[in-house]
Amino acid sequence: MKKILSSLLLIASLSYAVDFACIDSQKIITQSKYVAKAQEEFRALMDKYQKELTERQKKIEQLRKELQQGVLSESAKKKKEQEIQKLEREMRELQLEAQENLNKKKDELEEKLFTRVQTIVSDIAKKRNLKAVVDCGTMIYYSPEVDITSEVLKELDASQ
């Protein structure tokens, strides 16, 4: 009786093992060309804002130097001070705009990646008749045969 029960449990566990797979999300993030392209797009936007902010900061510093030279009339000093205040206000507004736009872009890129990976994983799961796909990082142990990360990476990078 014990042998029959053990055999049934073994068959049931083997059957269950075939019904799931896992993906290594960290590996996807670090090795995918699709992700690298998205990160490059994000960095380009970040660099654009950084360049604009640096240019404005330099302009403010230049105006402050001109003020410190002390060769300006009172009306010219007042005009420079107003220009500095205007540039500082514009710079703060640009910083807020940059932060907002960068957050939006980050969320957009992450959502796009998540949706794409989810679609790929779903397609693979349907082809293999899998009941579930989990993140390999949450598992204590898994056999390399259940890891479909390389297949997901291949599909993801082909979809650029």
Side-chain angles (χ1 to χ4, degrees):
M1 186 67 166
K2 272 188 167 180
K3 284 186 177 183
I4 293 172
L5 186 56
S6 295
S7 297
L8 287 174
L9 285 173
L10 179 62
I11 291 169
S13 67
L14 288 174
S15 165
Y16 181 71
V18 177
D19 289 339
F20 81 95
C22 69
I23 60 168
D24 185 340
S25 57
Q26 280 304 112
K27 189 174 181 180
I28 290 171
I29 290 169
T30 58
Q31 294 182 7
S32 172
K33 293 174 187 159
Y34 182 90
V35 173
K37 184 178 175 186
Q39 289 172 336
E40 191 176 297
E41 189 178 328
F42 182 78
R43 271 193 299 276
L45 182 61
M46 190 170 62
D47 290 346
K48 174 187 161 243
Y49 280 116
Q50 187 61 49
K51 184 178 177 183
E52 287 181 43
L53 288 167
T54 300
E55 287 173 7
R56 291 187 187 200
Q57 184 63 41
K58 285 180 182 177
K59 179 70 174 166
I60 290 170
E61 288 171 12
Q62 179 61 38
L63 290 171
R64 285 193 175 133
K65 283 181 185 177
E66 290 173 11
L67 267 175
Q68 290 174 353
Q69 289 176 353
V71 292
L72 300 173
S73 67
E74 280 303 312
S75 63
K77 279 184 182 179
K78 200 172 242 185
K79 191 174 179 180
K80 293 268 186 213
E81 288 170 352
Q82 288 172 345
E83 192 175 347
I84 290 170
Q85 289 173 352
K86 180 184 175 204
L87 284 170
E88 286 174 336
R89 187 173 47 255
E90 287 174 358
M91 196 166 152
R92 282 189 299 273
E93 289 170 4
L94 181 60
Q95 285 172 325
L96 291 173
E97 176 189 322
Q99 189 64 43
E100 185 179 313
N101 287 341
L102 288 169
N103 285 337
K104 276 186 198 176
K105 188 65 168 178
K106 180 179 176 262
D107 291 345
E108 173 190 314
L109 292 171
E110 285 175 352
E111 180 64 29
K112 188 177 173 183
L113 172 64
F114 177 77
T115 301
R116 186 69 191 124
V117 168
Q118 191 174 30
T119 301
I120 291 168
V121 168
S122 180
D123 290 346
I124 292 170
K126 287 175 187 171
K127 287 177 193 170
R128 293 186 177 194
N129 292 323
L130 300 173
K131 302 254 188 283
V133 178
V134 296
D135 192 317
C136 298
T138 62
M139 300 174 75
I140 295 172
Y141 170 80
Y142 62 91
S143 174
E145 295 115 30
V146 299
D147 187 348
I148 61 170
T149 305
S150 59
E151 195 173 339
V152 172
L153 273 168
K154 184 178 174 184
E155 289 285 323
L156 182 62
D157 290 344
S159 69
Q160 289 188 58

